[in-house]
Amino acid sequence: MSRSRTTDKSPIPSVWTREQRRTDQPALSREAIVREAIAMLDAEGIEALSMRKLGSRLNAGATSLYRHVATKDELMELAVDEVAAEIHVPPAGGPDWRAAVTEAAGSFRTTALRHPWLTLVLGQAGLAYLGPNYMSFSERLAALFTAAGFPEPSRAIDAVFSYVIGMSTTEAAWLTTVARSGETESDFVARLLPAAQQASAGYDHLAAAGPETSAQAADPAKLRDDKFAYGLEVVLDGLALRLPK
Amino acid sequence: MSRSRTTDKSPIPSVWTREQRRTDQPALSREAIVREAIAMLDAEGIEALSMRKLGSRLNAGATSLYRHVATKDELMELAVDEVAAEIHVPPAGGPDWRAAVTEAAGSFRTTALRHPWLTLVLGQAGLAYLGPNYMSFSERLAALFTAAGFPEPSRAIDAVFSYVIGMSTTEAAWLTTVARSGETESDFVARLLPAAQQASAGYDHLAAAGPETSAQAADPAKLRDDKFAYGLEVVLDGLALRLPK
DNA sequence: TCCGCTGTGCGTACAGTGTTCGCATCGAAG
DNA sequence: CTTCGATGCGAACACTGTACGCACAGCGGA
């Protein structure tokens, strides 16, 4: 049933078969494990990832994974760092620092929404930000903000990216709940609307201020984009005031 | 071993004994369960909470809890809402909206740091923000921002509190890792310093911009306070620009 | 050719987890 | 006294992460 790399005590040990194995079933390796884990996390969510399922996806036993990864937590940190490589940060020194930061922030957000488990792990993670890709992400940010002329670049970065992380976390949680419902975001919003309105009955200011009008159920994704952009502009405006003129 | 409300088929059923039971061992109730769950979460962290342990803490079997709570996830949402009541929001209409928002933001942060599992659950939560306490928290915020004169109060709230949530999540994750180490924050920082410096070797801007100088290991808590306050000022400055003058 | 050695896979097992089910018990209502 | 709905709970199910020890493959040296 469970078969390892060798099909069955290969009768004719030739270079061909061995080559084929190498590419066809690339053995168990840290990279392959992390890659497959990310695929599972993206497809089925964080609570669906178990070492046993991951193992059988790789045609391996669950405990074989532990030869390449110390623990499941470590695997999660590796996954975080792998995904951190997807975040794009424009080169430092460009003419328009706001555009560059906006690009980096947006790239973080889309990455976090593409991998909705990212923020969850970041919220638990021991020291996920010590991984090479996350470090290089931080380094490029530092370069960007330093070149922009901020006297305390790390404080500026923390301000912007705390906002970005907070918003992305909230959005990712929302999208996960939507996904679990099996509906489209619009349908889910429409179905949730009465409950939300009932829950906010008696809260005058919430009802007046809230965006829970049915007109906006039309394109919730655009609404989220706008909300993110708005808050980001707010933070960047606040930061601009601190730039030595 | 495990004993229920009745000590042992009480021989003399009197009002006294019954009264005593009522107050002494307040039976299993949703409130008691949630309260004890929060105590466990605060004391031992989110991964230490299991239905069995919680049950035995309440002198009850694990499965008895399910009479009062549908599922563990639901219990977590109840815990979140319970804790949301601790967040203080000043009354709307005061003369200094910045001070009021600063107070609310700070109260959210200290609550999140007092219950480091809060942000974790918020990041997973289906619709935790529909609980009564969280709703009333949102309502008071809406009142505050509306009275301050913001044309789009919900956007302003989202901007500020995305920042607050992001920063609090990061801090809570950090504090959890520190707590797991069993050391004080200062000691942990000191011990981590060489590793961090080695990890950032070769990253020029990180080394220059980062706060990883040993001088600051002295009072890390104050450093965090300052960082939070700084970012909050940034966001509030950006928001102030949008206030109709 | 054989011998060990090292690295890798995995079957088994352990101590837990959330949750379901059916039975026992109990206080109050009729 | 009987009946009934609410409550507690022991046993069980299907999982989980992971430690341990055995099996075997490939390899460098004798």
Side-chain angles (χ1 to χ4, degrees):
Chain A
M1 203 66 69
S2 85
R3 64 175 47 196
S4 84
R5 203 156 54 265
T6 64
T7 47
D8 228 348
K9 293 215 171 205
S10 52
I12 305 171
S14 93
V15 221
W16 294 109
T17 54
R18 216 179 53 146
E19 287 279 42
Q20 210 169 1
R21 300 246 168 65
R22 279 269 166 78
T23 59
D24 195 38
Q25 228 172 44
L28 228 38
S29 75
R30 180 176 267 216
E31 293 82 31
I33 292 174
V34 172
R35 198 181 334 125
E36 197 66 29
I38 292 175
M40 282 193 69
L41 286 167
D42 290 348
E44 318 191 38
I46 198 170
E47 78 285 341
L49 178 69
S50 81
M51 298 303 268
R52 275 175 249 259
K53 284 188 210 152
L54 179 56
S56 66
R57 268 231 201 187
L58 291 157
N59 288 103
T63 60
S64 307
L65 308 174
Y66 285 88
R67 292 285 175 195
H68 304 90
V69 155
T71 184
K72 193 191 178 184
D73 286 350
E74 179 181 304
L75 172 59
M76 297 303 288
E77 299 203 6
L78 289 172
V80 166
D81 195 68
E82 187 67 23
V83 155
E86 296 175 19
I87 310 171
H88 177 241
V89 179
D96 189 350
W97 69 270
R98 282 188 75 129
V101 172
T102 303
E103 159 72 13
S107 179
F108 187 106
R109 172 173 176 256
T110 59
T111 303
L113 298 189
R114 188 163 46 237
H115 310 289
W117 44 271
L118 215 204
T119 50
L120 271 187
V121 183
L122 275 186
Q124 296 179 296
L127 302 128
Y129 39 85
L130 285 188
N133 289 327
Y134 207 98
M135 288 284 294
S136 119
F137 162 67
S138 303
E139 160 73 5
R140 293 198 303 270
L141 277 187
L144 188 56
F145 279 79
T146 305
F150 284 100
E152 299 174 296
S154 78
R155 291 192 112 94
I157 294 176
D158 284 341
V160 179
F161 279 84
S162 289
Y163 165 76
V164 172
I165 290 176
M167 188 64 94
S168 302
T169 303
T170 309
E171 283 192 77
W174 164 254
L175 287 180
T176 303
T177 334
V178 170
R180 263 201 280 266
S181 80
E183 297 172 284
T184 72
E185 192 174 0
S186 298
D187 290 351
F188 189 74
V189 168
R191 198 160 60 87
L192 189 64
L193 223 155
Q197 279 174 340
Q198 185 202 338
S200 64
Y203 297 111
D204 311 9
H205 302 277
L206 256 192
E212 273 100 15
T213 66
S214 60
Q216 312 191 332
D219 194 349
K222 171 138 178 33
L223 209 92
R224 285 188 287 103
D225 288 350
D226 290 349
K227 190 164 73 177
F228 176 76
Y230 179 91
L232 186 57
E233 288 299 310
V234 168
V235 180
L236 295 186
D237 284 353
L239 272 184
L241 298 176
R242 279 152 181 83
L243 214 48
K245 54 174 273 325
Chain B
M1 202 65 70
S2 85
R3 63 176 47 198
S4 84
R5 201 155 55 263
T6 66
T7 47
D8 229 350
K9 291 217 173 205
S10 54
I12 306 173
S14 93
V15 221
W16 294 108
T17 53
R18 219 180 49 149
E19 287 279 42
Q20 210 170 1
R21 300 251 166 64
R22 278 268 166 78
T23 59
D24 194 40
Q25 229 174 44
L28 227 39
S29 74
R30 179 176 269 217
E31 293 82 32
I33 292 174
V34 172
R35 196 178 340 122
E36 197 66 29
I38 292 174
M40 281 193 68
L41 286 166
D42 290 348
E44 318 190 38
I46 197 171
E47 78 285 342
L49 177 70
S50 82
M51 298 304 268
R52 274 175 251 259
K53 285 187 208 151
L54 178 57
S56 66
R57 267 230 200 187
L58 291 158
N59 288 103
T63 62
S64 309
L65 307 175
Y66 285 89
R67 293 285 174 193
H68 305 89
V69 155
T71 186
K72 192 190 180 185
D73 286 350
E74 180 183 302
L75 172 59
M76 298 302 288
E77 300 203 6
L78 289 171
V80 166
D81 195 67
E82 188 67 24
V83 155
E86 296 175 19
I87 309 171
H88 176 242
V89 179
D96 190 350
W97 68 270
R98 282 188 75 129
V101 172
T102 304
E103 158 71 13
S107 179
F108 187 105
R109 172 174 175 256
T110 59
T111 302
L113 298 189
R114 189 163 46 236
H115 310 291
W117 43 272
L118 216 204
T119 49
L120 270 188
V121 183
L122 275 186
Q124 296 179 298
L127 301 127
Y129 39 85
L130 284 187
N133 290 328
Y134 207 97
M135 289 285 294
S136 118
F137 162 69
S138 304
E139 160 73 6
R140 294 197 302 270
L141 277 187
L144 188 56
F145 278 79
T146 305
F150 284 100
E152 298 173 298
S154 77
R155 292 193 111 95
I157 295 176
D158 284 340
V160 179
F161 278 83
S162 289
Y163 165 76
V164 173
I165 290 176
M167 188 65 93
S168 302
T169 303
T170 309
E171 283 192 76
W174 163 255
L175 287 180
T176 303
T177 336
V178 170
R180 263 201 280 266
S181 81
E183 297 172 285
T184 73
E185 192 175 359
S186 297
D187 290 351
F188 189 73
V189 168
R191 199 161 58 87
L192 188 63
L193 224 156
Q197 279 175 340
Q198 186 202 337
S200 64
Y203 296 110
D204 311 8
H205 302 277
L206 256 192
E212 274 99 17
T213 68
S214 59
Q216 315 190 328
D219 194 349
K222 171 136 178 34
L223 209 92
R224 284 188 287 102
D225 288 350
D226 290 349
K227 189 163 73 175
F228 177 75
Y230 179 92
L232 186 56
E233 288 299 310
V234 167
V235 180
L236 294 186
D237 284 353
L239 273 183
L241 298 176
R242 280 152 181 84
L243 213 48
K245 53 172 276 322

